[in-house]
Structure formats: C-alpha cells, structure tokens
C-alpha cells in the first residue's frame, strides 16, 4: 500500500521537524507499537500539513519499567477480555464514590488463573481513570521475609526510581517530588529514604527505637498518598496479598483506616486462603471472581482460535476440561499449537488432527509441564535456571549463572517470550524478565530433577555475590534464600542473620523472626564450635524478643530451654544467667511468680560468682517484680533498691532487654513503696525512672516507668499530676502499638480522668482497659492492673462495672497468689456495698481487707479501708466503732502523708 507508506514517511518527517533538539516525538500509531516499553508525555492534537484532522503527538521521555506482570504481558498483546461486565461495573461504582471523596476499598478473590490481575489491568487502563493517578504493586512468594517489599515497589513507580539509581539519585527524586507536592512533607523524607537504604544523617531517627522508626515509616507512606490524593485522585493496587509481608499488611491496615474521606480507590486481590481483616468497613467491597461461564469461555476461544464451526467440538472439549479458567484455556490452546494439532494463525486456526485424538490434561500444571518438555533442550535449561533464580530475574544474573555467550541467552529468551512463557519487564539499565504466571514459574521449577536445584542455587548465590559486591544489603533476603536452598550453611547463617537485623531495625518483627529462625536452622547444619554456639544463643534471644512483641509466648519456652542448654555446655555463665533472667520473665508473664523467683535467684547467684553487676541487677528486677505481684511489697522494695544500685552506672543502657532495665526497676520500686506508704521514696524513684526514659526517648521504657510514678500520684489522690504522665504513656502505646503496656497504663489513666472531671474520655479509656483484660494474651494479664480500672468505675459511679472488674481481678488473684490484689479487690467490694447503702456487707468487706492488708504492710490500703470501715459503721449506727476506725485512718494518713484521707478522716471525727 504505497499511499500508507507515503503517509507514514510524511508523518515521520513531520515528527522530526516538530521535535526540539535532543527530543523525540511520535504519533499514536508508533506509541501503540512501543506501548509498555517507553515513558511518554502527551502533547495533544497537532495540525499536520496535508491532513484534514490534527494528529495526537507524544514526546518520548525514556524507557519504561513494567510495574506488574500484566504490564509485561500486555507488551505482547492480550487475548480478548470477556465475561467480567458485572465485576467491571462494581469497580466503576467504587471509583465514582471514591472520586466524590468517599474512599473505597475493593478486594477481588479467586483461584489462580481466573483473571484477578487481568481484571485490574483492564480497569486501570480504561477511559474512566484517565484523570486518576494509578499506582501499582504486588507481592511475590519469597517476599514474606522481605519487609516492605510491595511498598517499596509502589514507591519506585511513584517517585520514578529505577533499579540502577544510586543513593544520590534516589534522594534527589524523593526530595524533589516531596517538596514539589508540599513543603511540609519534608518531615517524612527521612523515613521514606530509609526504605531505599539511603544513608541518613538524622540524629532523631538514629536514636529512635525500632518501634518508633516503624511507625514513622508507616505514617510517612500513608501521609504521602493521602496528600497526593488532594491533588489528584488515586487508584492504588496491591496484588497477591496471599504472599504479603507483615509490615505491608500493617501499612494496608493503617491506610484503610484513613481513606474514608479521601479520593482514593484501593484495589487488592488474593487467593481464597488469605483472610482479609476489613470486612466490617462500610466502604469495603469483596468481589468473588469465578471461572468464565461457557458463553464467555466460548468468546475467548473464538478470539484465540477463530469462529470456524469445525472447531466447535474442540471448543466444547476445552471448556469442559478447563471449567472456564482463562489461563488454563490459553495454555491449552498454546499446547495444541505446539503439538501441531492446530495450524494457522491467531483467530484463524484449523484442526490438523481429529478432535477425538486430542487429550486435554486435567490441570493447567500438566499442560504447562508438557509445553516445557517440548522446548528445545537449551531453552528448557534456560527456563528452569530462571525459575530457580525466582519469578523475576535479570539478564546479567541469568547470563552469569549459565556462563554462556553474551548473545546466546537473549536469543533464547526471545524464543521463550514468543512462546509466552516469560515476558520482558525492563529494558534499562539491564533487561529484566518475569514468568507469565506464578503457575508457570512453579511448574518450571518443579520440572528440574531433584538433584539439580541445590547446585543451581549455589551457582546463583555465587553469581549474585559477584554481581552485587558492595551492595549485598539490598539483596539479603534473596541471598539468604539461595544460600539455604543451596545448603551453603555458613553463608545462609550470615545472610539470614543480617536480614533479620535489617528487618528488626525497622521493627519489621515478623520478617525479622523468620530470618532469625532461618539463621538458627543454618547453624544447626554446621559443626558445633564455641563461636557458633554463642551466636545460636544470641539469635534465640532475638527470637524471644520478636515472639514477645508478637504476643506469641508459647514458642519462647523452647527457645529459652535451648539457649540454657547451649550456655551450660559452653560454660558461658553470663549467657546462662541472661537466659535464666529471660526465663524468670517468662514465668512472671504467665503469673508463675514463685518459679520466677527461684529462677531469678539462680541468675543472681551466677552473676555474683562472676561479679557481673548487670546480671545481678537484672535478676533483682525480676525478683522485685515477682514479689510485687505476690503482694510482698517489703521484699519487692528491697530487691528493687538493690537492682537500681547494681544498674546505676548503666542506667541508660538497653542491654538485650527490650528497654532500659533501670527504669523498669524504678517503676516497680515506686509501686511497692506506694503500697507501703513510703511516698517520699516512691515519688523520687518514680520521677527519676520516668525522666531517664524520657531523656532516652525510648517509648517502651516511658510507658513502663509512667505507671510506677502515676501509681504513687494516684494513691495520694494527686490526679492532676498523674494525668500528663499517663497521657504520655497512652499516646506512646497508641503510636507504637505497645499492647504489652496498655493494661498498665489505661486503667490508671481512666481513674485520673474520672477524678478530674473528664468522664466521657474516662469511660472510653476504662472500656479499652476492660476489653484488654479479655483480649490480650496471658503474658499481659496481671491482677494489679484490674484494680485501677475498678477505681475508675467507682469514680464514674458505675458500680456494676466495678463489680465485674472485682470478679475478674479476684479470679486472677486466686489463681496466681496475688495477695495484694486480693486485698484491693475486697476494698472495692466494700466501696460498692457502701455506695449501695449495704452497710453490713460493706463492714464485712472492709474488715476483711484490713486483715488481708496488715500482714503485707499495705499501709496505704489500710488507711483507705479504715476510712471506709468507719463510714460503713456510722451508716449502721455503730458510732463508737466508726470513731475508732476513723482515728486509725487519720493516724495512718498523717504518718504516710496521705492528705486527702487525713482531711476526710478529720472531718468525720469533727462531726
């Protein structure tokens, strides 16, 4: 067609004339040929001499990366999109609501191959999203141990960061984009840079504990997307949630909680085994996508095969065997073409054999396996090698592993692309590829002989070490994966340990735990040496910390037992004692205070034998906290004082204890002294511990220390002084997700709020505390925390709430021998009876509380109970008895500086 050739030549010349020096321009027809491989800037319709209508012109910006598998597939052309009208309409309705400022979340769930990704691909490239910014990301099967991987992938697309960009280029792209969007976003620059491992010189970031860093990262990502949505509406796609890591899951939870009023449509998809946690949201929609109905499956086959009626029996056979799974249908057709059963071209095939001789396998895996077996042997080896590298792989790495001629690998990859087994996703700086589908990758990997993967993983590992020399930290998870699969145990231990430490630094706890456990497993495969035994113990300590954060106490026992056995065999007294300190803490968390004391005594003895003041101080902390829970406050105060003395020189050290141990000891000393009526010591020690934790800006230590100081304030009814301390603690609990300390802070905060008049907030907080007692693990369930919640209910006038708390607290106290809690519960029951004017019942409860408190030295409770006892006796008409009790309350209050009790007792006596 000479006219067409002439027009093409004319347009090409015109584009060359229109382009500025150093730029390239193209028409829509050229763009369609290169779509997916290039980035462009639309310039709009441009008049062209010789043509009646303007021509759409685009400026070439650069090479493009395929952000998703479907983008890569799309470069080679898709089959006809059929049978999803209902699903598309649901997505369009959600888009309309999101565009109006009612943020929406849509999840598509379905089996592999039914078209979850294709649905989103078609939707996000439709005309209805032309004014929306589309950001896409996905998870991979090996990505669970790689924290934030899908988030980083999404941000790469947003900021335009390429794989080959160095730290300077990444910083420029992130900073430039943030400041262009909003100057105030400079505050989130550091956490975003940390995701790309850009060196950071930020003292606050460097001194922050992992939990705070993690929260800053999650908050920064959410803030960025919500701010961008103010400029233009966003469609955000997260695919394959069944492979998601825990940090990305936490981010999605956070983002979903904040998009209800934003112009954001969040799209996710996953296989049925994933359970989404958002179904209660009113703006959440779940769409089940099933295989195609027979009519739609027939339309897809018409596109692939053609509409010749002689193919009808084959169509019926394919629909029946594949049950309408689109991927299965496409792969079955390709298999028939490979076998020679079909001849012709797309949309115009003819049967070359009788349909009765065609056997369609019962699964798509079988079809894929047969197609792979029919490949040229060299191409099959290449495909299998790529599968061992991973679902995504680069040309340089594949070439290095195969050690072939430079042009040999690309040529064979091109043939694999023609067979639609792999697709190119990136051109620059190095070509990268992906398997067409996760099933294609799995079958290719599974087609290897059982003896081959191990050797290939080893070669891949060595090739990666050479290619990524100096940049290993960017690839730790994959290096560890290949080292484990290749049974290179020294390297597996090293890379897994480093990956765990990297995840832990961002408080990616689940990812860190998996990596640390992989490192422990690798050590188990190596010859035992003192160095490896010590490293094994240290790793088990890190696993213990992760399991505690995840509130999974059961596996901790096994790890601590293993650590103890290793330390004993190694004759490492410091590590053995440290293991015992951890074990004592675990027993304490389960309410087994007597066993905790016995174990802590062993640890203290070991520390004394080696003059290890840190171990002695840690053991004394365990002793103090156990005695406090038992209500033996004198022993608790004594052990805590000794612990603070031993730890004084290292008061600001974290050790490997999850917090500033010195401040922990101070908190329990303040609590014990408050119960004993020694408020001068309680407040001085409590204030010191709280100050040290605040100066260190260590969130967990602040929340622990604040309950000790606040306890002293509350028992003296200095509620306004307790408020800012407890408010600080509650904010940190919320920001950092410190569920372990929530019960220690919430009830006391509610009590202070109620007594200072903020009854609405007090009600909310005490219900949070009450709920936590039922929902949180036993490791966080201690009767002492119930008492402050009971006092909050009393202050609110909710006697039924106080009764319920008393019931729960008593059951806990009886189970765990918490004698001090038992005494406070009895006092609460006296208070509720008194408020109900049940004087005789109240008298009995107060008398019992006094009998329980006396042997424990609980002077503060004795003052409270004597005051209530006198009030109950007065109500019953026993004036002499009432006066005697009020005098006891007055004398105790005067002795222990309990001014409110002193005032009330004096007033009663004056009457």
């Amino acid at each position: 067609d000479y006219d067409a050739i002439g027009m093409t030549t004319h347009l090409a010349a015109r584009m060359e004339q229109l382009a500025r020096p150093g730029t390239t321009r193209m028409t829509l027809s050229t763009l369609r040929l290169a779509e997916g491989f290039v980035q462009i800037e639309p310039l709009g319709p441009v008049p062209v001499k010789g043509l009646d209508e303007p021509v759409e012109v685009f400026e070439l910006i650069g090479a493009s990366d395929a952000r998703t598998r479907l983008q890569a597939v799309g470069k080679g052309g898709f089959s006809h999109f059929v049978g999803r009208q209902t699903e598309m309409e649901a997505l369009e309705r959600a888009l309309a609501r999101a565009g109006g400022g009612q943020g929406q979340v849509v999840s598509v769930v379905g089996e592999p191959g039914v078209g979850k990704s294709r649905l989103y691909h078609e939707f996000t490239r439709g005309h209805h999203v032309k004014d929306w910014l589309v950001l896409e990301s996905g998870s991979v099967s090996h990505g669970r141990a790689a924290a934030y991987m899908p988030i980083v992938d999404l941000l790469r697309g947003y900021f335009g960061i390429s794989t080959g960009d160095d730290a300077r280029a990444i910083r420029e792209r992130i900073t430039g984009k943030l400041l262009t969007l909003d100057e105030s976003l400079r505050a989130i620059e550091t956490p975003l840079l940390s995701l790309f491992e850009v060196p950071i010189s930020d003292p606050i970031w460097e001194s922050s504990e992992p939990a705070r860093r993690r929260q800053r990262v999650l908050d920064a990502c959410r803030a960025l997307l919500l701010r961008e949505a103010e400029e233009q509406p966003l469609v955000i796609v997260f695919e394959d949630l069944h492979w998601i890591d825990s940090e990305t899951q936490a981010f999605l939870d956070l983002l979903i909680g904040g998009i209800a009023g934003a112009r954001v449509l969040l799209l996710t998809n996953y296989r049925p085994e994933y359970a989404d946690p958002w179904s209660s949201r009113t703006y959440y929609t779940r769409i089940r996508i099933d295989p195609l109905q027979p009519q739609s499956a027939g339309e897809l086959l018409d596109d692939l095969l053609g509409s010749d009626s002689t193919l009808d029996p084959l169509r019926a056979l394919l629909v029946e065997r594949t049950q309408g799974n689109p991927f299965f249908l496409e792969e079955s057709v390709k298999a028939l073409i490979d076998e020679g059963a079909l001849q012709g071209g797309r949309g115009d095939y003819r049967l070359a054999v009788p349909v009765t001789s065609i056997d369609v396998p019962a699964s798509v895996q079988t079809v894929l396996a047969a197609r792979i077996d029919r490949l040229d042997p060299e191409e099959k080896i290449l495909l299998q090698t790529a599968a061992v590298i991973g679902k995504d792989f680069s040309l340089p790495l594949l070439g290095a592993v195969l050690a072939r001629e430079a042009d040999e690998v690309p040529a064979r990859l091109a043939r694999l692309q023609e067979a639609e087994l792999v697709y190119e996703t990136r051109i620059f700086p190095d070509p990268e590829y992906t398997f067409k589908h996760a099933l294609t990758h799995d079958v290719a990997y599974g087609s290897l002989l059982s003896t081959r993967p191990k050797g290939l993983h080893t070669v891949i590992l060595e090739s990666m070490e050479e290619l990524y020399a100096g940049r290993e930290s960017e690839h730790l998870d994959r290096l560890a994966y290949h080292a484990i699969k290749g049974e290179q145990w020294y390297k597996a231990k090293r890379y897994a340990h480093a990956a765990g430490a990297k995840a832990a630094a961002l408080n990616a706890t689940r990812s860190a735990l998996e990596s640390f456990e992989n490192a422990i497993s690798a050590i188990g495969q190596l010859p035992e040496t003192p160095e490896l035994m010590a490293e094994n113990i240290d790793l088990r300590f890190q696993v213990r910390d992760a399991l505690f954060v995840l509130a999974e106490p059961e596996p901790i026992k096994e790890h601590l037992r293993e650590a103890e056995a290793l330390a004993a065999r190694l004759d490492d007294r410091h590590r053995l004692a440290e293991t015992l300190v951890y074990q004592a803490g675990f027993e304490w968390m389960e309410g087994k205070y007597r066993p905790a004391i016995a174990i802590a005594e062993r640890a203290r003895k070991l520390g004394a034998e080696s003059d290890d003041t840190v171990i002695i101080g840690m053991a004394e902390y365990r002793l103090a906290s156990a005695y406090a829970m038992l209500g033996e406050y004198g022993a608790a105060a004594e052990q805590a004082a000794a612990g603070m003395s031993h730890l004084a020189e290292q008061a600001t050290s974290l050790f490997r204890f999850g917090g500033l141990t010195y401040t922990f000891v101070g908190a329990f000393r303040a609590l014990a002294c408050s119960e004993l009526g020694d408020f001068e010591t309680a407040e001085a020690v409590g204030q010191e511990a709280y100050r040290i934790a605040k100066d260190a800006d260590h969130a967990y230590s602040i929340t622990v220390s604040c309950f000790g100081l606040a306890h002293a304030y509350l028992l003296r009814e200095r509620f306004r002084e307790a408020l800012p301390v407890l408010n600080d603690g509650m904010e940190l609990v919320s920001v950092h997700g410190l569920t372990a300390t929530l019960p220690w802070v919430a009830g006391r905060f509610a009590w202070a709020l109620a007594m200072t008049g903020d009854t609405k907030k007090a009600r909310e907080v005490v219900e949070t505390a009450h709920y936590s007692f039922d929902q949180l693990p036993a490791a966080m369930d201690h009767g002492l925390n119930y008492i402050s919640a009971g006092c909050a209910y009393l202050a609110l006038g909710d006697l039924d709430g106080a009764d319920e708390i008393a019931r729960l607290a008593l059951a806990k106290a009886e189970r765990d021998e918490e004698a001090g809690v038992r005494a406070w519960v009895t006092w609460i029951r006296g208070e509720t009876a008194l408020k109900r004017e049940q004087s005789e019942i109240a008298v009995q409860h107060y008398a019992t509380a006094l009998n329980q408190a006396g042997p424990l030295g609980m002077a503060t409770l004795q003052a409270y109970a004597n005051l209530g006892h006198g009030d109950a006796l007065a109500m019953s008409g026993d004036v002499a008895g009432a006066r005697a009790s009020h005098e006891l309350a007055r004398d105790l209050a005067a002795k222990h500086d309990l001014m409110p009790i002193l005032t009330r007792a004096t007033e009663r006596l004056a009457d």
Side-chain angles (χ1 to χ4, degrees):
D1 189 333
Y2 289 104
D3 288 341
I5 294 172
M7 181 56 66
T8 301
T9 304
H10 174 69
L11 284 173
R14 185 60 180 149
M15 292 303 102
E16 185 177 3
Q17 294 167 5
L18 289 173
R20 302 187 310 275
T23 67
T24 301
R25 297 190 178 182
M26 65 178 72
T27 62
L28 179 60
S29 58
T30 304
L31 173 61
R32 284 173 175 163
L33 294 173
E35 193 166 13
F37 290 99
V38 294
Q39 297 177 358
I40 53 91
E41 179 72 30
L43 300 179
V46 174
V48 175
K49 185 177 180 180
L51 297 180
D52 295 334
E53 298 292 333
V55 174
E56 288 286 335
V57 176
F58 305 86
E59 183 169 324
L60 177 66
I61 303 300
S64 174
D65 297 340
R67 305 301 310 165
T68 68
R69 171 179 59 85
L70 263 292
Q71 291 178 24
V73 175
K75 294 176 181 179
F78 285 112
S79 57
H80 191 46
F81 183 62
V82 298
R84 302 302 184 200
Q85 185 62 34
T86 300
E87 293 85 350
M88 288 291 280
E89 289 173 355
L91 291 174
E92 289 170 9
R93 288 194 296 271
L95 185 79
R97 288 192 291 269
Q102 301 176 49
Q104 299 290 303
V105 183
V106 178
S107 290
V108 170
V109 56
E111 299 290 346
V114 294
K116 301 184 294 294
S117 296
R118 179 66 187 278
L119 174 66
Y120 281 167
H121 183 86
E122 294 295 328
F123 176 73
T124 56
R125 280 142 189 86
H127 63 88
H128 35 260
V129 298
K130 64 182 180 69
D131 296 323
W132 292 63
L133 174 62
V134 179
L135 300 173
E136 298 173 276
S137 183
S139 304
V140 293
S141 57
H142 70 269
R144 287 193 185 95
Y148 303 105
M149 181 183 287
I151 299 174
V152 171
D153 185 44
L154 181 131
L155 292 177
R156 282 187 182 278
Y158 176 77
F159 288 113
I161 296 170
S162 299
T163 304
D165 285 345
D166 58 17
R168 178 178 177 180
I170 293 172
R171 184 184 294 275
E172 288 175 352
R173 292 182 185 277
I174 290 177
T175 303
K177 184 98 171 181
L178 290 178
L179 298 185
T180 300
L181 179 61
D182 190 333
E183 284 279 348
S184 68
L185 293 178
R186 183 180 291 278
I188 67 172
E189 178 186 19
T190 292
L192 292 176
L193 289 173
S194 75
L195 287 174
F196 294 89
E197 298 186 47
V198 174
I200 293 170
S201 55
D202 181 341
I204 296 177
W205 175 264
E206 292 170 357
S207 64
S208 294
E209 60 183 294
R212 177 161 289 187
R213 291 185 185 182
R214 172 185 186 265
Q215 193 61 45
R216 285 186 63 188
V217 167
L218 299 179
D219 288 342
C221 294
R222 182 177 75 161
L224 172 64
L225 295 177
L226 294 182
R227 180 63 184 85
E228 181 64 55
E230 296 176 14
E231 300 297 318
Q232 58 183 328
L234 296 182
V235 174
I236 303 171
V237 184
F238 276 88
E239 298 210 65
D240 298 323
L241 296 193
H242 45 276
W243 290 325
I244 199 170
D245 66 279
S246 58
E247 303 315 306
T248 305
Q249 179 70 63
F251 168 69
L252 288 176
D253 294 341
L254 183 68
L255 178 62
I256 288 170
I259 68 170
R263 295 188 301 166
V264 175
L265 173 59
L266 175 63
L267 304 178
T268 74
N269 63 33
Y270 48 83
R271 296 177 185 175
E273 60 264 27
Y274 173 83
D276 69 69
W278 314 303
S279 57
S280 62
R281 305 277 183 175
T282 58
Y283 47 91
Y284 176 71
T285 303
R286 184 190 292 115
I287 300 173
R288 172 80 193 198
I289 184 169
D290 295 311
L292 297 171
Q293 294 296 314
Q295 180 178 348
S296 298
E299 292 176 18
L300 175 59
L301 287 172
D302 284 348
D303 176 58
L304 296 171
L305 300 172
S307 57
D308 191 283
S309 60
T310 61
L311 296 173
D312 287 349
L314 176 62
R315 288 193 194 88
L317 175 63
L318 290 171
V319 171
E320 178 188 357
R321 295 308 296 272
T322 65
Q323 297 185 347
N325 183 294
F327 181 61
F328 195 175
L329 279 169
E330 291 184 5
E331 290 302 318
S332 296
V333 169
K334 291 186 180 71
L336 293 174
I337 296 168
D338 292 345
E339 294 170 2
L342 288 170
Q343 293 181 352
R346 178 164 176 162
D348 188 26
Y349 279 105
R350 297 288 184 274
L351 271 171
V353 297
V355 72
T356 54
S357 68
I358 292 175
D359 179 25
V360 179
S363 72
V364 68
Q365 288 89 342
T366 307
V367 172
L368 288 166
R371 291 194 65 210
I372 291 169
D373 280 342
R374 283 192 294 270
L375 291 172
D376 173 87
E378 291 295 324
E379 291 168 14
K380 182 178 178 180
I381 290 172
L382 187 146
L383 185 71
Q384 291 171 326
T385 304
V388 178
I389 292 173
K391 187 171 176 292
D392 304 302
F393 57 94
S394 70
L395 178 59
L397 180 55
L398 182 61
V401 172
L402 291 169
R404 302 292 171 84
E405 295 295 328
D407 60 345
E408 190 176 335
V409 175
R412 291 197 170 112
L413 276 172
R415 289 193 286 275
L416 292 176
Q417 288 186 83
E418 290 174 8
E420 296 188 49
L421 293 168
V422 301
Y423 293 103
E424 191 173 48
T425 59
R426 190 192 308 275
I427 299 174
F428 181 83
D430 294 311
E432 294 187 4
Y433 299 81
T434 187
F435 280 79
K436 177 181 180 180
H437 197 279
L439 292 175
T440 312
H441 167 266
D442 294 346
V443 172
Y445 188 95
S447 67
L448 283 160
L449 294 174
S450 60
T451 55
R452 287 195 62 206
K454 174 183 171 182
L456 270 176
H457 281 293
T458 299
V459 175
I460 292 166
L461 173 66
E462 293 169 351
S463 299
M464 289 181 69
E465 289 174 325
E466 184 176 343
L467 280 174
Y468 306 137
R471 297 189 294 124
E472 290 89 350
S473 66
E474 300 173 24
H475 307 276
L476 286 173
D477 295 292
R478 297 190 72 175
L479 286 165
Y481 168 77
H482 289 297
I484 292 167
K485 290 290 187 178
E487 298 181 12
Q488 301 297 303
W489 301 118
Y490 279 106
K491 291 181 178 180
K493 178 264 299 180
R494 175 160 57 91
Y495 289 128
H497 195 167
K502 177 181 174 181
L506 284 172
N507 212 42
T509 308
R510 184 69 66 182
S511 299
L513 175 62
E514 186 171 337
S515 292
F516 287 143
E517 289 184 331
N518 284 338
I520 290 171
S521 296
I523 289 175
Q525 301 296 323
L526 293 167
E528 196 172 79
T529 66
E531 293 76 18
L532 287 175
M533 291 170 72
E535 186 173 357
N536 195 339
I537 295 169
D538 294 342
L539 280 164
R540 291 182 188 278
F541 288 163
Q542 291 172 301
V543 167
R544 176 264 177 199
D545 293 341
L547 289 169
F548 178 72
V549 171
L550 295 170
E552 296 178 8
E554 282 306 311
I556 294 177
K557 289 182 178 179
E558 180 182 350
H559 281 286
L560 291 180
R561 282 196 297 267
E562 291 289 337
E564 181 184 1
L566 285 165
R569 285 168 46 211
L570 193 58
D571 195 25
D572 185 331
R573 296 197 170 196
H574 178 84
R575 283 188 171 87
L576 177 57
E578 192 172 356
T579 302
L580 293 173
V581 168
Y582 277 132
Q583 287 189 24
F586 184 78
E587 297 294 333
W588 181 89
M589 286 188 287
E590 291 196 326
K592 299 174 182 176
Y593 305 122
R594 297 293 178 194
I597 289 170
I599 295 170
E601 287 286 10
R602 286 179 59 201
R604 182 168 64 173
K605 182 179 178 182
L606 283 168
E609 289 173 358
S610 56
D611 197 25
D612 190 332
T613 57
V614 171
I615 286 296
I616 296 171
M618 285 178 154
E620 286 166 339
Y621 160 59
R622 291 302 193 200
L623 291 166
S625 59
Y627 281 126
M629 293 298 100
L630 290 167
E632 298 177 23
Y633 298 110
E638 181 182 346
Q639 293 298 330
M644 294 185 76
S645 176
H646 282 113
L647 295 171
E649 292 185 4
Q650 301 188 62
T652 58
S653 296
L654 285 170
F655 308 121
R656 286 191 296 209
F657 213 60
L660 298 162
T661 312
Y662 184 84
T663 66
F664 294 1
V665 188
F668 278 93
R669 187 180 175 191
L671 182 148
C673 288
S674 300
E675 296 290 342
L676 295 169
D678 182 3
F679 288 102
E680 182 179 355
T681 302
E683 292 185 13
V685 169
Q687 288 166 357
E688 181 193 18
Y690 182 63
R691 175 186 57 78
I692 289 172
K694 290 279 286 183
D695 289 347
D697 194 27
H698 191 268
Y700 187 65
S701 300
I702 294 170
T703 58
V704 172
S705 62
C706 82
F707 95 79
L709 175 58
H711 197 80
Y713 287 146
L714 292 170
L715 290 190
R716 294 182 78 188
E717 300 187 18
R718 293 166 62 175
F719 299 110
R720 295 203 177 277
E721 290 177 76
L723 267 180
V725 176
L726 291 164
N727 184 65
D728 191 13
M730 279 297 289
E731 285 184 355
L732 292 172
V733 166
S734 175
V735 168
H736 297 288
L738 300 173
T739 53
T741 54
L742 172 63
W744 294 90
V745 180
R748 292 175 173 85
F749 189 37
W751 185 9
L753 287 166
M755 292 302 294
T756 52
D758 194 345
T759 54
K760 181 180 179 181
K761 188 171 183 179
R763 170 68 64 180
E764 294 173 358
V765 176
V766 77
E767 288 178 354
T768 297
H770 196 160
Y771 177 79
S772 75
F773 300 149
D774 294 330
Q775 300 299 316
L776 293 175
M780 303 167 191
D781 183 26
H782 299 281
L784 194 63
N785 298 318
Y786 292 55
I787 302 305
S788 53
C791 291
Y793 277 120
L794 286 173
L796 289 167
D798 185 346
L799 303 185
D800 290 339
D803 280 340
E804 172 64 12
I805 285 292
R807 182 187 64 79
L808 293 171
L810 184 60
K812 181 75 174 63
E814 295 290 350
R815 188 189 75 190
D816 296 338
E817 302 179 53
E818 295 178 348
V821 172
R822 189 186 299 116
W824 274 111
V825 168
T826 311
W827 173 82
I828 288 175
R829 287 182 161 174
E831 289 287 295
T832 56
L834 184 66
K835 290 179 183 295
R836 291 184 173 121
E837 298 184 359
Q838 299 169 338
S839 59
E840 291 184 9
I841 296 174
V843 166
Q844 292 173 4
H845 284 315
Y846 286 128
T848 303
L850 286 165
N851 289 332
Q852 292 169 334
L856 300 173
M858 299 174 69
T860 303
L861 177 55
Q862 286 177 290
Y864 276 94
N866 272 304
L867 182 67
H869 192 239
D871 291 346
L873 288 170
M875 185 181 291
S876 68
D878 185 351
V879 178
R883 183 171 186 83
S885 289
H886 285 148
E887 286 176 347
L888 286 171
R890 179 197 61 194
D891 294 344
L892 281 165
K895 179 179 179 180
H896 297 289
D897 199 21
L898 287 162
M899 295 307 297
I901 299 294
L902 177 61
T903 300
R904 293 201 289 276
T906 302
E907 289 173 351
R908 304 301 200 265
L909 290 168
D911 292 340

